[in-house]
Short mmCIF file of all heavy atoms in Angstrom, two decimals:
data_model
loop_
_atom_site.label_atom_id
_atom_site.label_comp_id
_atom_site.label_asym_id
_atom_site.label_seq_id
_atom_site.Cartn_x
_atom_site.Cartn_y
_atom_site.Cartn_z
N MET A 1 23.39 -23.39 -10.90
CA MET A 1 23.24 -24.03 -9.59
C MET A 1 22.10 -24.95 -9.71
O MET A 1 20.99 -24.59 -10.09
CB MET A 1 23.07 -22.91 -8.57
CG MET A 1 22.77 -23.54 -7.26
SD MET A 1 22.32 -22.26 -5.96
CE MET A 1 22.57 -20.70 -6.73
N PRO A 2 22.26 -26.21 -9.25
CA PRO A 2 21.14 -27.18 -9.21
C PRO A 2 20.12 -26.70 -8.19
O PRO A 2 20.39 -26.02 -7.28
CB PRO A 2 21.80 -28.48 -8.67
CG PRO A 2 23.20 -28.35 -8.93
CD PRO A 2 23.59 -26.89 -8.85
N PHE A 3 18.87 -27.02 -8.56
CA PHE A 3 17.70 -26.59 -7.71
C PHE A 3 17.79 -27.08 -6.31
O PHE A 3 17.25 -26.53 -5.42
CB PHE A 3 16.43 -27.00 -8.32
CG PHE A 3 15.99 -26.18 -9.49
CD1 PHE A 3 15.85 -26.81 -10.73
CD2 PHE A 3 15.88 -24.87 -9.37
CE1 PHE A 3 15.44 -25.98 -11.82
CE2 PHE A 3 15.38 -24.02 -10.40
CZ PHE A 3 15.21 -24.71 -11.67
N ASP A 4 18.47 -28.28 -6.06
CA ASP A 4 18.42 -28.81 -4.67
C ASP A 4 19.61 -28.27 -3.87
O ASP A 4 19.75 -28.58 -2.74
CB ASP A 4 18.43 -30.36 -4.79
CG ASP A 4 19.72 -30.88 -5.48
OD1 ASP A 4 20.42 -30.09 -6.20
OD2 ASP A 4 19.94 -32.08 -5.41
N GLN A 5 20.47 -27.51 -4.47
CA GLN A 5 21.58 -26.85 -3.77
C GLN A 5 21.15 -25.46 -3.04
O GLN A 5 20.51 -24.70 -3.70
CB GLN A 5 22.73 -26.60 -4.74
CG GLN A 5 24.02 -26.12 -4.10
CD GLN A 5 25.06 -25.85 -5.15
OE1 GLN A 5 24.97 -26.26 -6.26
NE2 GLN A 5 26.18 -25.26 -4.76
N THR A 6 21.51 -25.40 -1.81
CA THR A 6 21.20 -24.17 -1.09
C THR A 6 22.18 -23.03 -1.60
O THR A 6 23.37 -23.20 -1.77
CB THR A 6 21.49 -24.37 0.39
OG1 THR A 6 20.70 -25.42 0.86
CG2 THR A 6 21.19 -23.12 1.19
N PRO A 7 21.51 -21.85 -1.97
CA PRO A 7 22.33 -20.73 -2.44
C PRO A 7 23.32 -20.31 -1.40
O PRO A 7 22.99 -20.20 -0.20
CB PRO A 7 21.34 -19.67 -2.71
CG PRO A 7 20.07 -20.06 -2.12
CD PRO A 7 20.15 -21.54 -1.83
N ALA A 8 24.50 -19.87 -1.79
CA ALA A 8 25.47 -19.40 -0.88
C ALA A 8 25.39 -17.92 -0.67
O ALA A 8 25.71 -17.42 0.40
CB ALA A 8 26.85 -19.77 -1.37
N THR A 9 24.95 -17.15 -1.73
CA THR A 9 24.98 -15.74 -1.65
C THR A 9 23.57 -15.37 -1.97
O THR A 9 22.80 -16.11 -2.59
CB THR A 9 25.92 -15.04 -2.50
OG1 THR A 9 25.60 -15.30 -3.86
CG2 THR A 9 27.36 -15.62 -2.18
N LEU A 10 23.22 -14.05 -1.77
CA LEU A 10 22.02 -13.52 -2.32
C LEU A 10 21.91 -13.49 -3.84
O LEU A 10 20.83 -13.56 -4.44
CB LEU A 10 21.62 -12.17 -1.71
CG LEU A 10 21.40 -12.18 -0.18
CD1 LEU A 10 21.04 -10.80 0.36
CD2 LEU A 10 20.28 -13.15 0.20
N ALA A 11 23.05 -13.34 -4.52
CA ALA A 11 23.02 -13.47 -5.96
C ALA A 11 22.62 -14.82 -6.44
O ALA A 11 21.93 -14.93 -7.36
CB ALA A 11 24.42 -13.08 -6.44
N ASP A 12 23.05 -15.82 -5.66
CA ASP A 12 22.74 -17.16 -6.07
C ASP A 12 21.16 -17.35 -5.87
O ASP A 12 20.52 -18.05 -6.59
CB ASP A 12 23.44 -18.21 -5.06
CG ASP A 12 24.95 -18.21 -5.35
OD1 ASP A 12 25.37 -17.81 -6.43
OD2 ASP A 12 25.67 -18.50 -4.42
N ALA A 13 20.69 -16.68 -4.77
CA ALA A 13 19.25 -16.84 -4.50
C ALA A 13 18.41 -16.16 -5.58
O ALA A 13 17.36 -16.70 -6.00
CB ALA A 13 18.96 -16.21 -3.14
N ILE A 14 18.89 -15.12 -6.02
CA ILE A 14 18.27 -14.32 -7.22
C ILE A 14 18.16 -15.28 -8.46
O ILE A 14 17.20 -15.45 -9.03
CB ILE A 14 18.86 -13.01 -7.56
CG1 ILE A 14 18.60 -12.02 -6.46
CG2 ILE A 14 18.37 -12.54 -8.94
CD1 ILE A 14 19.35 -10.71 -6.60
N ALA A 15 19.41 -15.92 -8.75
CA ALA A 15 19.44 -16.84 -9.89
C ALA A 15 18.47 -17.97 -9.75
O ALA A 15 17.80 -18.36 -10.66
CB ALA A 15 20.94 -17.28 -10.08
N LYS A 16 18.37 -18.52 -8.46
CA LYS A 16 17.54 -19.61 -8.27
C LYS A 16 16.04 -19.19 -8.42
O LYS A 16 15.22 -19.95 -9.00
CB LYS A 16 17.79 -20.14 -6.81
CG LYS A 16 17.18 -21.46 -6.65
CD LYS A 16 17.69 -22.02 -5.28
CE LYS A 16 18.01 -23.58 -5.46
NZ LYS A 16 18.44 -24.20 -4.29
N LEU A 17 15.77 -18.02 -7.86
CA LEU A 17 14.31 -17.55 -7.97
C LEU A 17 13.96 -17.26 -9.50
O LEU A 17 12.80 -17.61 -9.87
CB LEU A 17 14.10 -16.20 -7.25
CG LEU A 17 14.10 -16.36 -5.71
CD1 LEU A 17 14.28 -14.99 -5.10
CD2 LEU A 17 12.78 -17.02 -5.24
N GLU A 18 14.91 -16.84 -10.23
CA GLU A 18 14.59 -16.50 -11.62
C GLU A 18 14.43 -17.85 -12.42
O GLU A 18 13.68 -17.85 -13.44
CB GLU A 18 15.79 -15.68 -12.31
CG GLU A 18 15.75 -14.30 -11.78
CD GLU A 18 17.02 -13.50 -12.25
OE1 GLU A 18 18.09 -14.15 -12.58
OE2 GLU A 18 16.85 -12.32 -12.23
N ALA A 19 14.93 -18.92 -11.95
CA ALA A 19 14.86 -20.25 -12.61
C ALA A 19 13.80 -21.06 -12.27
O ALA A 19 13.44 -22.06 -12.83
CB ALA A 19 16.22 -21.00 -12.44
N LEU A 20 13.02 -20.73 -11.11
CA LEU A 20 11.88 -21.59 -10.66
C LEU A 20 10.73 -21.43 -11.61
O LEU A 20 10.07 -20.35 -11.75
CB LEU A 20 11.50 -21.18 -9.25
CG LEU A 20 12.50 -21.47 -8.14
CD1 LEU A 20 12.06 -20.87 -6.83
CD2 LEU A 20 12.63 -23.04 -8.06
N PRO A 21 10.41 -22.49 -12.33
CA PRO A 21 9.27 -22.37 -13.25
C PRO A 21 7.90 -22.24 -12.69
O PRO A 21 6.96 -21.69 -13.38
CB PRO A 21 9.39 -23.79 -14.02
CG PRO A 21 9.95 -24.74 -13.07
CD PRO A 21 10.85 -23.83 -12.21
N ASN A 22 7.60 -22.67 -11.53
CA ASN A 22 6.27 -22.62 -11.02
C ASN A 22 6.02 -21.49 -10.05
O ASN A 22 4.90 -21.35 -9.54
CB ASN A 22 5.93 -23.93 -10.25
CG ASN A 22 5.89 -25.13 -11.25
OD1 ASN A 22 5.54 -24.95 -12.42
ND2 ASN A 22 6.30 -26.27 -10.76
N LEU A 23 7.01 -20.63 -9.84
CA LEU A 23 6.85 -19.40 -9.01
C LEU A 23 6.09 -18.32 -9.72
O LEU A 23 6.55 -17.97 -10.81
CB LEU A 23 8.21 -18.89 -8.54
CG LEU A 23 8.25 -17.83 -7.48
CD1 LEU A 23 7.62 -18.29 -6.22
CD2 LEU A 23 9.69 -17.33 -7.35
N PRO A 24 5.04 -17.94 -9.17
CA PRO A 24 4.19 -16.81 -9.83
C PRO A 24 5.15 -15.50 -10.08
O PRO A 24 5.96 -15.20 -9.17
CB PRO A 24 3.05 -16.53 -8.91
CG PRO A 24 2.93 -17.71 -8.06
CD PRO A 24 4.21 -18.34 -7.97
N ASN A 25 4.89 -14.94 -11.19
CA ASN A 25 5.83 -13.76 -11.53
C ASN A 25 5.71 -12.67 -10.48
O ASN A 25 6.89 -12.07 -10.11
CB ASN A 25 5.39 -13.22 -12.84
CG ASN A 25 5.83 -14.05 -14.01
OD1 ASN A 25 6.80 -14.80 -13.94
ND2 ASN A 25 5.13 -14.07 -15.16
N ALA A 26 4.54 -12.41 -9.89
CA ALA A 26 4.54 -11.35 -8.86
C ALA A 26 5.32 -11.73 -7.69
O ALA A 26 6.01 -10.89 -7.01
CB ALA A 26 3.02 -11.10 -8.53
N LYS A 27 5.20 -12.94 -7.30
CA LYS A 27 6.02 -13.40 -6.07
C LYS A 27 7.47 -13.36 -6.34
O LYS A 27 8.25 -12.95 -5.48
CB LYS A 27 5.60 -14.86 -5.66
CG LYS A 27 6.25 -15.34 -4.45
CD LYS A 27 5.78 -14.69 -3.26
CE LYS A 27 6.30 -15.47 -2.06
NZ LYS A 27 5.96 -14.67 -0.80
N ARG A 28 7.92 -13.84 -7.54
CA ARG A 28 9.36 -13.75 -8.00
C ARG A 28 9.83 -12.28 -7.89
O ARG A 28 10.85 -11.95 -7.35
CB ARG A 28 9.40 -14.30 -9.34
CG ARG A 28 10.83 -14.21 -9.97
CD ARG A 28 10.94 -14.74 -11.37
NE ARG A 28 9.83 -15.55 -11.94
CZ ARG A 28 9.78 -16.89 -11.76
NH1 ARG A 28 10.78 -17.52 -11.27
NH2 ARG A 28 8.74 -17.56 -12.36
N ARG A 29 9.01 -11.45 -8.46
CA ARG A 29 9.32 -9.96 -8.44
C ARG A 29 9.52 -9.43 -7.11
O ARG A 29 10.51 -8.76 -6.78
CB ARG A 29 8.28 -9.14 -9.30
CG ARG A 29 8.56 -7.70 -9.37
CD ARG A 29 7.45 -6.91 -9.80
NE ARG A 29 6.41 -6.99 -8.81
CZ ARG A 29 5.09 -7.37 -9.07
NH1 ARG A 29 4.71 -7.72 -10.23
NH2 ARG A 29 4.29 -7.47 -8.12
N ASP A 30 8.64 -9.80 -6.19
CA ASP A 30 8.70 -9.26 -4.79
C ASP A 30 9.86 -9.78 -4.07
O ASP A 30 10.42 -9.06 -3.28
CB ASP A 30 7.43 -9.62 -4.06
CG ASP A 30 6.12 -8.86 -4.60
OD1 ASP A 30 6.32 -7.89 -5.42
OD2 ASP A 30 5.06 -9.24 -4.30
N LEU A 31 10.13 -11.09 -4.21
CA LEU A 31 11.29 -11.69 -3.47
C LEU A 31 12.65 -11.05 -3.99
O LEU A 31 13.46 -10.76 -3.27
CB LEU A 31 11.30 -13.20 -3.62
CG LEU A 31 10.16 -13.89 -2.94
CD1 LEU A 31 10.09 -15.34 -3.42
CD2 LEU A 31 10.33 -13.72 -1.44
N ILE A 32 12.69 -11.03 -5.34
CA ILE A 32 14.04 -10.45 -5.90
C ILE A 32 14.07 -8.93 -5.53
O ILE A 32 15.27 -8.50 -5.18
CB ILE A 32 14.01 -10.65 -7.34
CG1 ILE A 32 14.18 -12.08 -7.72
CG2 ILE A 32 15.15 -9.83 -8.07
CD1 ILE A 32 14.07 -12.41 -9.21
N SER A 33 12.98 -8.28 -5.52
CA SER A 33 13.04 -6.73 -5.04
C SER A 33 13.47 -6.68 -3.63
O SER A 33 14.30 -5.82 -3.28
CB SER A 33 11.65 -6.20 -5.23
OG SER A 33 11.64 -4.89 -4.69
N ALA A 34 13.04 -7.51 -2.78
CA ALA A 34 13.50 -7.52 -1.40
C ALA A 34 14.99 -7.86 -1.23
O ALA A 34 15.63 -7.16 -0.35
CB ALA A 34 12.64 -8.50 -0.50
N ILE A 35 15.47 -8.77 -1.94
CA ILE A 35 16.86 -9.07 -1.98
C ILE A 35 17.71 -7.79 -2.32
O ILE A 35 18.58 -7.46 -1.76
CB ILE A 35 17.16 -10.28 -2.75
CG1 ILE A 35 16.63 -11.59 -2.18
CG2 ILE A 35 18.74 -10.36 -3.01
CD1 ILE A 35 16.68 -12.73 -3.10
N LYS A 36 17.27 -7.15 -3.52
CA LYS A 36 17.97 -6.06 -3.99
C LYS A 36 17.88 -4.86 -3.03
O LYS A 36 18.86 -4.12 -2.86
CB LYS A 36 17.42 -5.67 -5.38
CG LYS A 36 17.87 -6.77 -6.45
CD LYS A 36 17.31 -6.40 -7.81
CE LYS A 36 17.80 -7.36 -8.86
NZ LYS A 36 17.39 -7.04 -10.15
N ARG A 37 16.76 -4.69 -2.41
CA ARG A 37 16.55 -3.61 -1.48
C ARG A 37 17.43 -3.84 -0.28
O ARG A 37 18.14 -2.87 0.27
CB ARG A 37 15.07 -3.58 -1.05
CG ARG A 37 14.78 -2.42 -0.18
CD ARG A 37 14.38 -1.18 -1.10
NE ARG A 37 14.26 -0.02 -0.22
CZ ARG A 37 13.03 0.45 0.24
NH1 ARG A 37 11.94 -0.27 0.07
NH2 ARG A 37 12.93 1.47 0.98
N THR A 38 17.62 -5.06 0.27
CA THR A 38 18.47 -5.45 1.34
C THR A 38 19.85 -5.04 1.02
O THR A 38 20.62 -4.45 1.70
CB THR A 38 18.39 -6.91 1.64
OG1 THR A 38 16.98 -7.18 2.10
CG2 THR A 38 19.26 -7.28 2.77
N SER A 39 20.31 -5.44 -0.27
CA SER A 39 21.64 -5.12 -0.67
C SER A 39 22.02 -3.65 -0.78
O SER A 39 22.99 -3.16 -0.32
CB SER A 39 21.87 -5.70 -2.04
OG SER A 39 21.76 -7.04 -2.10
N THR A 40 21.02 -2.90 -1.22
CA THR A 40 21.11 -1.34 -1.26
C THR A 40 21.21 -0.84 0.10
O THR A 40 22.01 -0.05 0.39
CB THR A 40 19.86 -0.83 -2.03
OG1 THR A 40 19.81 -1.39 -3.36
CG2 THR A 40 19.95 0.71 -2.04
N LEU A 41 20.39 -1.34 1.08
CA LEU A 41 20.40 -0.81 2.47
C LEU A 41 21.71 -1.01 3.17
O LEU A 41 22.18 -0.11 3.93
CB LEU A 41 19.27 -1.49 3.26
CG LEU A 41 17.86 -0.99 3.00
CD1 LEU A 41 16.94 -1.85 3.80
CD2 LEU A 41 17.66 0.42 3.32
N VAL A 42 22.41 -2.05 2.84
CA VAL A 42 23.61 -2.31 3.41
C VAL A 42 24.86 -1.94 2.57
O VAL A 42 26.02 -2.19 2.89
CB VAL A 42 23.83 -3.80 3.95
CG1 VAL A 42 22.78 -4.11 5.02
CG2 VAL A 42 23.75 -4.76 2.85
N ASP A 43 24.57 -1.34 1.45
CA ASP A 43 25.55 -0.85 0.42
C ASP A 43 26.51 -2.04 0.06
O ASP A 43 27.69 -1.82 0.05
CB ASP A 43 26.28 0.29 1.03
CG ASP A 43 27.05 1.05 -0.08
OD1 ASP A 43 26.64 1.02 -1.21
OD2 ASP A 43 28.04 1.74 0.30
N ARG A 44 25.98 -3.20 -0.21
CA ARG A 44 26.82 -4.33 -0.71
C ARG A 44 26.05 -4.98 -1.79
O ARG A 44 24.86 -4.97 -1.97
CB ARG A 44 26.98 -5.27 0.51
CG ARG A 44 27.87 -4.66 1.59
CD ARG A 44 27.99 -5.58 2.73
NE ARG A 44 28.66 -6.85 2.51
CZ ARG A 44 28.70 -7.76 3.36
NH1 ARG A 44 28.23 -7.65 4.62
NH2 ARG A 44 29.30 -8.97 3.08
N ASP A 45 26.86 -5.63 -2.68
CA ASP A 45 26.37 -6.37 -3.81
C ASP A 45 25.73 -7.70 -3.33
O ASP A 45 26.21 -8.26 -2.34
CB ASP A 45 27.45 -6.76 -4.76
CG ASP A 45 27.01 -7.24 -6.09
OD1 ASP A 45 26.65 -6.46 -6.90
OD2 ASP A 45 26.97 -8.41 -6.29
N PRO A 46 24.66 -8.20 -3.94
CA PRO A 46 24.04 -9.39 -3.57
C PRO A 46 25.04 -10.60 -3.50
O PRO A 46 24.95 -11.41 -2.74
CB PRO A 46 22.91 -9.66 -4.56
CG PRO A 46 22.64 -8.26 -5.08
CD PRO A 46 23.86 -7.52 -5.02
N ALA A 47 26.07 -10.52 -4.36
CA ALA A 47 27.12 -11.61 -4.36
C ALA A 47 27.93 -11.52 -3.27
O ALA A 47 28.67 -12.54 -2.86
CB ALA A 47 27.96 -11.45 -5.66
N ASP A 48 28.01 -10.41 -2.42
CA ASP A 48 28.76 -10.26 -1.23
C ASP A 48 28.02 -10.62 0.06
O ASP A 48 28.58 -10.43 1.15
CB ASP A 48 29.40 -8.84 -1.22
CG ASP A 48 30.33 -8.60 -2.29
OD1 ASP A 48 30.86 -9.51 -2.89
OD2 ASP A 48 30.47 -7.45 -2.71
N LEU A 49 26.71 -10.87 -0.12
CA LEU A 49 25.92 -11.16 1.08
C LEU A 49 25.56 -12.67 1.13
O LEU A 49 25.15 -13.22 0.22
CB LEU A 49 24.64 -10.28 1.05
CG LEU A 49 24.86 -8.77 1.25
CD1 LEU A 49 23.52 -8.10 0.88
CD2 LEU A 49 25.30 -8.51 2.61
N PRO A 50 25.73 -13.18 2.40
CA PRO A 50 25.45 -14.55 2.56
C PRO A 50 23.93 -14.85 2.44
O PRO A 50 23.14 -14.06 2.95
CB PRO A 50 25.95 -14.95 3.98
CG PRO A 50 25.92 -13.68 4.66
CD PRO A 50 26.16 -12.48 3.60
N ALA A 51 23.50 -16.01 1.85
CA ALA A 51 22.09 -16.34 1.87
C ALA A 51 21.92 -17.21 3.10
O ALA A 51 21.57 -18.40 3.03
CB ALA A 51 21.78 -17.10 0.63
N ASP A 52 22.09 -16.62 4.22
CA ASP A 52 21.96 -17.31 5.56
C ASP A 52 21.19 -16.34 6.46
O ASP A 52 21.63 -15.26 6.75
CB ASP A 52 23.34 -17.61 6.03
CG ASP A 52 23.34 -18.13 7.44
OD1 ASP A 52 22.92 -19.28 7.61
OD2 ASP A 52 23.77 -17.48 8.42
N ALA A 53 19.99 -16.79 6.92
CA ALA A 53 19.19 -15.91 7.75
C ALA A 53 19.91 -15.30 8.94
O ALA A 53 19.79 -14.18 9.20
CB ALA A 53 17.91 -16.67 8.15
N PRO A 54 20.62 -16.22 9.86
CA PRO A 54 21.21 -15.59 10.96
C PRO A 54 22.28 -14.51 10.60
O PRO A 54 22.39 -13.42 11.28
CB PRO A 54 21.83 -16.77 11.72
CG PRO A 54 21.02 -17.94 11.27
CD PRO A 54 20.61 -17.64 9.87
N ALA A 55 22.97 -14.82 9.64
CA ALA A 55 24.11 -13.88 9.14
C ALA A 55 23.47 -12.51 8.68
O ALA A 55 23.91 -11.42 8.98
CB ALA A 55 24.94 -14.49 8.01
N LEU A 56 22.35 -12.69 7.82
CA LEU A 56 21.76 -11.47 7.35
C LEU A 56 21.08 -10.67 8.49
O LEU A 56 21.08 -9.47 8.46
CB LEU A 56 20.65 -11.93 6.27
CG LEU A 56 21.20 -12.25 4.93
CD1 LEU A 56 20.04 -12.76 4.09
CD2 LEU A 56 21.84 -11.05 4.26
N ARG A 57 20.40 -11.45 9.46
CA ARG A 57 19.87 -10.78 10.56
C ARG A 57 20.90 -9.90 11.29
O ARG A 57 20.60 -8.77 11.70
CB ARG A 57 19.11 -11.80 11.43
CG ARG A 57 18.29 -11.13 12.49
CD ARG A 57 17.50 -12.26 13.35
NE ARG A 57 16.75 -13.11 12.44
CZ ARG A 57 16.99 -14.40 12.19
NH1 ARG A 57 18.00 -15.07 12.80
NH2 ARG A 57 16.13 -15.13 11.48
N ALA A 58 21.98 -10.51 11.52
CA ALA A 58 23.11 -9.73 12.15
C ALA A 58 23.57 -8.47 11.38
O ALA A 58 23.72 -7.42 12.05
CB ALA A 58 24.30 -10.65 12.37
N ILE A 59 23.54 -8.60 10.13
CA ILE A 59 23.85 -7.36 9.30
C ILE A 59 22.71 -6.34 9.30
O ILE A 59 23.01 -5.21 9.45
CB ILE A 59 24.10 -7.91 7.77
CG1 ILE A 59 25.42 -8.69 7.73
CG2 ILE A 59 24.16 -6.70 6.87
CD1 ILE A 59 25.61 -9.42 6.41
N LEU A 60 21.47 -6.80 9.27
CA LEU A 60 20.33 -5.93 9.17
C LEU A 60 20.06 -5.28 10.52
O LEU A 60 19.46 -4.21 10.52
CB LEU A 60 19.13 -6.67 8.62
CG LEU A 60 19.20 -7.06 7.19
CD1 LEU A 60 18.06 -7.95 6.80
CD2 LEU A 60 19.23 -5.88 6.27
N THR A 61 20.40 -5.85 11.56
CA THR A 61 20.14 -5.19 12.98
C THR A 61 20.94 -4.02 13.10
O THR A 61 20.62 -3.15 13.95
CB THR A 61 20.42 -6.20 14.11
OG1 THR A 61 21.76 -6.61 14.00
CG2 THR A 61 19.48 -7.39 14.05
N LYS A 62 21.99 -3.77 12.27
CA LYS A 62 22.82 -2.57 12.39
C LYS A 62 22.19 -1.35 11.66
O LYS A 62 22.74 -0.30 11.71
CB LYS A 62 24.20 -2.92 11.81
CG LYS A 62 25.02 -3.95 12.68
CD LYS A 62 26.22 -4.33 12.00
CE LYS A 62 26.81 -5.50 12.75
NZ LYS A 62 27.96 -6.01 12.00
N ILE A 63 21.13 -1.62 10.90
CA ILE A 63 20.39 -0.64 10.26
C ILE A 63 19.31 0.04 11.06
O ILE A 63 18.47 -0.69 11.61
CB ILE A 63 19.83 -1.14 8.86
CG1 ILE A 63 20.94 -1.66 7.95
CG2 ILE A 63 19.04 -0.01 8.16
CD1 ILE A 63 20.49 -2.42 6.70
N HIS A 64 19.29 1.28 11.17
CA HIS A 64 18.19 1.95 11.88
C HIS A 64 17.34 2.50 10.69
O HIS A 64 17.81 3.16 9.80
CB HIS A 64 18.67 3.04 12.69
CG HIS A 64 17.68 3.67 13.60
ND1 HIS A 64 16.68 4.56 13.10
CD2 HIS A 64 17.26 3.37 14.88
CE1 HIS A 64 15.91 4.83 14.15
NE2 HIS A 64 16.18 4.18 15.20
N PRO A 65 16.03 2.31 10.76
CA PRO A 65 15.12 2.78 9.80
C PRO A 65 15.29 4.18 9.40
O PRO A 65 15.20 4.53 8.19
CB PRO A 65 13.74 2.46 10.30
CG PRO A 65 13.91 1.46 11.31
CD PRO A 65 15.33 1.63 11.87
N ALA A 66 15.38 5.10 10.38
CA ALA A 66 15.52 6.51 10.06
C ALA A 66 16.75 6.86 9.29
O ALA A 66 16.77 7.64 8.37
CB ALA A 66 15.48 7.34 11.43
N GLN A 67 17.85 6.13 9.57
CA GLN A 67 19.12 6.38 8.79
C GLN A 67 18.88 5.86 7.42
O GLN A 67 19.54 6.47 6.45
CB GLN A 67 20.28 5.58 9.49
CG GLN A 67 20.67 6.13 10.80
CD GLN A 67 21.69 5.20 11.49
OE1 GLN A 67 21.59 3.99 11.52
NE2 GLN A 67 22.80 5.85 12.04
N ALA A 68 18.12 4.86 7.25
CA ALA A 68 17.94 4.37 5.91
C ALA A 68 16.84 5.13 5.10
O ALA A 68 16.57 4.96 3.89
CB ALA A 68 17.57 2.89 5.96
N GLY A 69 16.18 6.04 5.83
CA GLY A 69 15.10 6.83 5.20
C GLY A 69 13.85 6.10 4.95
O GLY A 69 13.16 6.36 3.99
N ILE A 70 13.60 5.04 5.80
CA ILE A 70 12.32 4.22 5.64
C ILE A 70 11.58 4.07 6.95
O ILE A 70 12.32 4.29 8.00
CB ILE A 70 12.68 2.88 4.91
CG1 ILE A 70 13.63 2.02 5.85
CG2 ILE A 70 13.21 2.96 3.58
CD1 ILE A 70 13.85 0.59 5.34
N GLU A 71 10.43 3.57 6.94
CA GLU A 71 9.69 3.33 8.17
C GLU A 71 10.17 1.98 8.78
O GLU A 71 10.63 1.13 7.96
CB GLU A 71 8.24 3.24 7.80
CG GLU A 71 7.61 4.45 7.31
CD GLU A 71 7.55 5.64 8.41
OE1 GLU A 71 7.29 5.26 9.55
OE2 GLU A 71 7.73 6.79 8.01
N ALA A 72 9.97 1.88 10.06
CA ALA A 72 10.44 0.56 10.72
C ALA A 72 9.69 -0.54 10.07
O ALA A 72 10.23 -1.66 9.94
CB ALA A 72 10.09 0.70 12.17
N LYS A 73 8.39 -0.40 9.75
CA LYS A 73 7.56 -1.50 9.17
C LYS A 73 8.21 -1.89 7.84
O LYS A 73 8.18 -3.09 7.48
CB LYS A 73 6.12 -1.08 9.04
CG LYS A 73 5.27 -2.23 8.46
CD LYS A 73 3.86 -2.00 8.85
CE LYS A 73 2.99 -2.99 8.28
NZ LYS A 73 3.10 -4.45 8.66
N SER A 74 8.67 -0.94 7.10
CA SER A 74 9.23 -1.30 5.76
C SER A 74 10.53 -2.07 5.91
O SER A 74 10.69 -3.06 5.21
CB SER A 74 9.60 -0.01 4.98
OG SER A 74 8.36 0.70 4.66
N LEU A 75 11.30 -1.71 6.86
CA LEU A 75 12.51 -2.47 7.10
C LEU A 75 12.16 -3.95 7.58
O LEU A 75 12.79 -4.81 7.18
CB LEU A 75 13.41 -1.79 8.19
CG LEU A 75 14.69 -2.47 8.50
CD1 LEU A 75 15.55 -2.65 7.25
CD2 LEU A 75 15.49 -1.67 9.60
N ALA A 76 11.09 -3.92 8.53
CA ALA A 76 10.71 -5.39 8.92
C ALA A 76 10.19 -6.16 7.74
O ALA A 76 10.50 -7.37 7.75
CB ALA A 76 9.63 -5.13 9.93
N ASN A 77 9.57 -5.55 6.87
CA ASN A 77 8.97 -6.29 5.74
C ASN A 77 10.07 -6.78 4.74
O ASN A 77 10.03 -7.86 4.26
CB ASN A 77 8.02 -5.47 4.87
CG ASN A 77 6.73 -5.36 5.55
OD1 ASN A 77 6.29 -6.14 6.41
ND2 ASN A 77 5.94 -4.28 5.25
N ILE A 78 11.17 -6.03 4.63
CA ILE A 78 12.32 -6.38 3.81
C ILE A 78 12.99 -7.56 4.34
O ILE A 78 13.22 -8.53 3.82
CB ILE A 78 13.23 -5.21 3.57
CG1 ILE A 78 12.60 -4.09 2.81
CG2 ILE A 78 14.58 -5.69 2.92
CD1 ILE A 78 13.26 -2.84 2.74
#
């Protein structure tokens, strides 16, 4: 995927993050971890989730932190 193309899925976003040469490794790791954690919380593969903030927000609002076994702040950070 070209760098100037917006990723369609979270899997595309992971690939794009992995390919960014100037992104510090710690930041890359944290962003990819958040994407994978999001996928786990909704029990879907990153390739099945849109890389679109409003769509993801709608999906994530259905998750209650207690049901996911995490604190509300952790969910907010993800």
Side-chain angles (χ1 to χ4, degrees):
M1 171 183 358
F3 285 119
D4 59 347
Q5 183 179 350
T6 302
T9 69
L10 291 185
D12 296 334
I14 289 172
K16 193 170 223 182
L17 289 167
E18 289 172 339
L20 289 174
N22 296 327
L23 185 64
N25 287 334
K27 183 69 170 176
R28 179 187 336 272
R29 181 194 64 234
D30 291 347
L31 292 170
I32 291 173
S33 175
I35 291 171
K36 290 180 177 181
R37 187 86 187 270
T38 299
S39 297
T40 299
L41 286 173
V42 297
D43 196 30
R44 291 174 62 186
D45 190 85
D48 296 331
L49 291 169
D52 175 70
L56 284 173
R57 192 174 302 111
I59 292 167
L60 292 172
T61 59
K62 298 174 185 170
I63 297 172
H64 191 279
Q67 290 174 317
I70 61 175
E71 297 291 324
K73 182 157 176 64
S74 295
L75 182 58
N77 286 339
I78 293 169

